[in-house]
Amino acid sequence: GLQTVHIPRTGPTSEGVAAVQRGPGAGRVQVTGSALEKRAAMIEGVFRNPNPASMTVQEWGDVEVERMQEQTIAQAKAQKEEELREAEMTEDDKEERARLKASSWDDWKDEHPKGAGNKGDNYFKRG
């Protein structure tokens, strides 16, 4: 059905009745009244915000502050756990971890030659 809404005017007349459709023709406003009221309603329709904000800037800021606080707590917890693991490791474990890291880096470099991604031709299809 149709819904009747009031469109405020800034001129000498503040009367104006509009019928807003729901469904396929939603968003179209049919104004009854004088030509001046119709013109004002059309201007308002052009300059309306099609995507109204769902929250204020203050609300968004509060959400971001809360998210950052949670992230800071999670990072501190992870860092503390990493320090505990590091303290429990023996010197041999640390050397083994460094050796595995270096080995995996060497394997990656073997599979991805320097400049292979920047060449115009496809390096991996050669030969």
Side-chain angles (χ1 to χ4, degrees):
L2 295 177
Q3 178 185 9
T4 303
V5 293
H6 174 73
I7 299 177
R9 303 284 173 244
T10 56
T13 308
S14 63
E15 298 286 323
V17 179
V20 178
Q21 280 185 316
R22 297 195 183 273
R28 295 184 183 167
V29 177
Q30 182 180 12
V31 178
T32 59
S34 70
L36 186 60
E37 289 173 340
K38 288 180 182 180
R39 183 174 188 271
M42 287 178 19
I43 289 172
E44 289 218 9
V46 169
F47 294 110
R48 71 176 174 80
N49 184 359
N51 302 313
S54 59
M55 65 175 67
T56 65
V57 174
Q58 182 65 40
E59 291 170 336
W60 178 81
D62 294 342
V63 168
E64 282 297 304
V65 166
E66 184 178 323
R67 187 183 65 80
M68 290 299 293
Q69 289 172 344
E70 290 171 0
Q71 184 177 2
T72 303
I73 291 169
Q75 285 176 343
K77 183 179 176 183
Q79 184 178 3
K80 197 173 263 189
E81 289 174 0
E82 180 61 30
E83 288 172 358
L84 287 173
R85 275 195 299 266
E86 188 77 24
E88 292 174 357
M89 291 179 79
T90 64
E91 199 60 39
D92 290 339
D93 291 338
K94 291 178 184 177
E95 288 175 9
E96 179 66 14
R97 184 180 61 182
R99 188 190 66 74
L100 287 173
K101 184 177 178 181
S103 174
S104 85
W105 177 242
D106 287 341
D107 291 345
W108 188 90
K109 284 178 24 179
D110 290 342
E111 294 170 6
H112 303 86
K114 182 176 180 178
N118 298 326
K119 295 186 178 198
D121 63 339
N122 193 338
Y123 180 85
F124 296 103
K125 288 188 178 179
R126 278 200 241 160

